[in-house]
Amino acid sequence: MIALGLEGSANKLGVGLIFHPKTGGPAQILSNIRHTFVSPPGEGFLPKDTAKHHRAWVVQLVKQALKGVGLEVGDVDCICYTKGPGMGAPLQSVALAARMLGELWGKELVGVNHCVGHIEMGREITGAQNPVVLYVSGGNTQVIAYAMQRYRIFGEALDIAVGNCLDRFARTLKISNDPAPGYNIEQMAKSGKHLLDLPYAVKGMDCSFSGILATIDILAEKLKGNPPTWLDEGTGELITREDLCFSLQETVFAMLVEITERAMAHVGSSQVLIVGGVGCNERLQGMMGLMTRDRGGSVYATDERFCIDNGIMIAHAGLLAYRTGQRTSLADSTCTQRYRTDEVLVKWRD
């Protein structure tokens, strides 16, 4: 069975084609392409501009995906699309494209939860069996574990997501958004060496990032002197933008490691799977690896092909649901900005 997946919940438009053998076995990725709307440095991406980008590129990407692997419309069994959560206007553009293709091609639709798409793609690629999942992206921060056909949320961000925190600080520093603000923060942090004191806001199993962002924004103002005069009290060396990026990463990632470890202890798991765009960050993977090794466990993560929003994860999760009989009627093929991970009935798992 072959599914076409359409993802467009934020600034990345992804189209994927996946094949599930009828006799079982690993899924085969046929095509996984995307196009990103990149806003100017110091600016975020507005929903209306992002939606316009998705509408302009979706047909071209679908054609490219099919042609690239020599498939015809008749080879596709179903069309899967991101139902939510995400930004309203971009989600609407992708849902509209899915309905259009479904009607033109006579294919059934499957609406997919974006978060579940990340989890199932991560499990498929890494082979993680029953891990605690850390889902970290620009719009979501959740610690998740599976139980009784639901992905249960053990902890989450109380305000803004960790990826949003990093992205907004990139805008404060007017760092380029190409290829991604969080990636550029990560590269700058590698040159930082002074760890600055920032709020550490873990509240039970939940985190808060807005206060950390407000504090680091205030500290960034101290760098605007000409010439710069902010010196480290211990070494007498100048504090740099790289030090700010380093301090922000170290603080927020330590918080994520703490709540993930607590979830591991609660459910008795020895595996951690990191998914979502921030999951590409090598420093986060390294910190999580240290923690899991101390517990005799292991950490699983993927690279940017699957961590960053993509169409193949929607195709994969949608086809898993399709094979259990789940369908989305044309009347129900809407989208929603609020669609929690634990709302989905995961019928394809025991």
Side-chain angles (χ1 to χ4, degrees), residues 194-198 216 219 230 232 239-240 243-244 246-248 251:
H194 299 113
L195 182 62
L196 305 175
D197 188 25
L198 294 174
I216 198 80
L219 295 180
W230 185 11
D232 180 71
I239 299 297
T240 65
D243 292 327
L244 295 184
F246 169 71
S247 300
L248 179 60
T251 303

Side-chain angles (χ1 to χ4, degrees), residues 51-65:
K52 183 178 180 181
H53 165 270
H54 292 359
R55 291 194 299 270
W57 280 91
V58 65
V59 172
Q60 180 177 332
L61 291 190
V62 170
K63 289 181 177 179
Q64 182 182 337

Side-chain angles (χ1 to χ4, degrees), residues 233-246:
E233 294 180 358
T235 65
E237 296 176 336
L238 281 174
I239 299 297
T240 65
R241 295 176 1 138
E242 288 76 11
D243 292 327
L244 295 184
C245 295
F246 169 71

Side-chain angles (χ1 to χ4, degrees), residues 289-321:
L290 290 173
M291 180 273 288
T292 55
R293 282 193 293 273
D294 285 345
R295 298 182 60 87
S298 53
V299 62
Y300 296 84
T302 63
D303 59 27
E304 69 280 354
R305 293 172 299 168
F306 306 108
C307 265
I308 297 173
D309 291 350
N310 58 85
I312 200 70
M313 70 182 195
I314 301 303
H316 178 58
L319 193 50
L320 288 173

